[in-house]
Amino acid sequence: MKTHFKTKFSSMNQIKKTKKQMKYAYLFLILVSLGITSCVSKKKMVYFGEREWSVINNDLQNYEPTIQKDDMITIYVSATNSEAVLPFNIYESPILGNSLGNLKPIPYLVNAQGEINFPILGTLKVEGMTNNELSLLLIKKLKEYIADPIVNIRTVNFKVTVVGEVNRPGAFTVSNQRITVVEALGLAGDLTIKANRKNITLVREKDGKRIFIPIDLTNKELFNSPYYYLSQNDVIYVEPNKAQINSSVVGANTSIIFSAISSLLSIIAILF
């Protein structure tokens, strides 16, 4: 009788001990999971930091992109005398029955020397000029041939590219030729939760060189940055945050390992 009681008491102790071990094992598994998927502080996630009133640089408000090599620009010259401007406008080959008003002007390609070849006026250096500056230059030169000329210029291949941790990466054509970093990220569907908002890279080609500019979305000084407005062919790269990089280092099999451990603990619980 005593032996039976001791055996029963020993079994009960063993069960209690096993349950205690199971609790510790589950607790350990939870702590490991939390360690790998560590929390990100609010400061690293919120855009522009403390949002208090500030003055935006006037130079930035009046920003205009400049013409670069490989840009394609349309130049349309008009005046009161419509026949006088015909030699200065280049159109697509007319289709039989099409009126001149239905034809589209052929864009000029800015060559490797930053020049275009304009009818009658000849070769013009346009690289580094804004559309408005080029318009004023053409008006000045055209006044020798036309009374009160009007010049409209538009860049037709102005685009920016956004890649990395965004919802819709890709290249985006911009019709108004004036776009900010924030607007470009908006076109890409905003950053994913895995993005590093403090270390975004802007890649820009300038004077034949490629420069890399760090951008911090959590700092409101971005609005006063000379790189707040984008230029033609700018590339924005959004890198993953530390948690995402760490999860990549741990490996894609992490969830499988956790599942296997959980299943093993469940089997042990059933057996004991």
Side-chain angles (χ1 to χ4, degrees):
M1 185 70 178
K2 289 182 178 180
T3 304
H4 176 71
F5 178 76
K6 286 181 179 179
T7 303
K8 188 176 180 179
F9 182 75
S10 178
S11 298
M12 290 177 66
N13 283 340
Q14 184 63 34
I15 291 171
K16 288 181 180 179
K17 185 178 180 181
T18 302
K19 285 182 177 180
K20 191 174 182 180
Q21 290 174 342
M22 289 290 293
K23 287 180 181 178
Y24 284 132
Y26 276 118
L27 181 60
F28 173 75
L29 182 61
I30 291 170
L31 289 174
V32 170
S33 301
L34 290 174
I36 292 177
T37 57
S38 57
C39 297
V40 180
S41 68
K42 180 181 177 182
K43 288 183 179 180
K44 293 182 180 180
M45 296 297 294
V46 175
Y47 292 174
F48 317 133
E50 297 296 329
R51 290 182 290 277
E52 52 194 37
W53 291 103
S54 59
V55 178
I56 297 177
N57 191 330
N58 287 330
D59 293 337
L60 289 178
Q61 291 179 324
N62 299 322
Y63 172 82
E64 281 188 76
T66 57
I67 299 171
Q68 306 295 329
K69 297 171 185 175
D70 297 325
D71 278 1
M72 298 186 71
I73 57 176
T74 57
I75 302 175
Y76 180 70
V77 181
S78 61
T80 305
N81 186 347
S82 57
E83 292 185 1
V85 300
L86 289 178
F88 300 97
N89 290 314
I90 303 176
Y91 295 98
E92 297 174 342
S93 298
I95 301 173
L96 188 63
N98 268 12
S99 65
L100 191 61
N102 294 329
L103 297 181
K104 294 181 179 179
I106 296 176
Y108 294 86
L109 174 64
V110 182
N111 63 22
Q113 288 72 44
E115 302 168 338
I116 61 171
N117 190 17
F118 196 81
I120 300 178
L121 300 182
T123 301
L124 299 174
K125 180 76 172 181
V126 298
E127 183 184 11
M129 301 178 71
T130 66
N131 286 357
N132 186 55
E133 288 171 344
L134 177 57
S135 177
L136 293 175
L137 174 66
L138 288 173
I139 289 172
K140 181 180 179 181
K141 290 180 176 292
L142 289 170
K143 281 183 177 179
E144 299 178 17
Y145 306 91
I146 308 169
D148 301 321
I150 299 173
V151 178
N152 290 299
I153 302 174
R154 182 169 174 262
T155 305
V156 296
N157 67 333
F158 191 102
K159 66 179 178 61
V160 295
T161 303
V162 185
V163 293
E165 287 293 341
V166 291
N167 289 300
R168 293 191 302 272
F172 304 94
T173 301
V174 183
S175 58
N176 62 3
Q177 304 161 47
R178 180 182 167 100
I179 185 172
T180 67
V181 172
V182 179
E183 290 170 332
L185 293 174
L187 290 175
D190 201 3
L191 279 64
T192 68
I193 196 67
K194 302 173 184 177
N196 184 349
R197 286 151 174 78
K198 292 182 69 66
N199 193 14
I200 294 170
T201 302
L202 170 62
V203 184
R204 175 173 295 177
E205 291 189 11
K206 188 175 182 180
D207 300 327
K209 297 179 181 179
R210 189 172 288 110
I211 57 176
F212 299 83
I213 304 108
I215 292 174
D216 183 0
L217 277 183
T218 66
N219 190 338
K220 66 178 181 295
E221 285 303 312
L222 169 64
F223 292 103
N224 285 319
S225 168
Y227 303 106
Y228 179 60
Y229 284 97
L230 300 179
S231 296
Q232 157 77 315
N233 292 325
D234 276 358
V235 176
I236 297 175
Y237 168 63
V238 182
E239 71 173 33
N241 58 29
K242 189 175 180 181
Q244 176 67 3
I245 295 172
N246 289 342
S247 67
S248 299
V249 173
V250 172
N253 295 325
T254 304
S255 60
I256 298 175
I257 295 171
F258 283 158
S259 179
I261 294 173
S262 181
S263 299
L264 182 61
L265 291 173
S266 297
I267 292 170
I268 294 172
I270 293 169
L271 292 176
F272 286 93

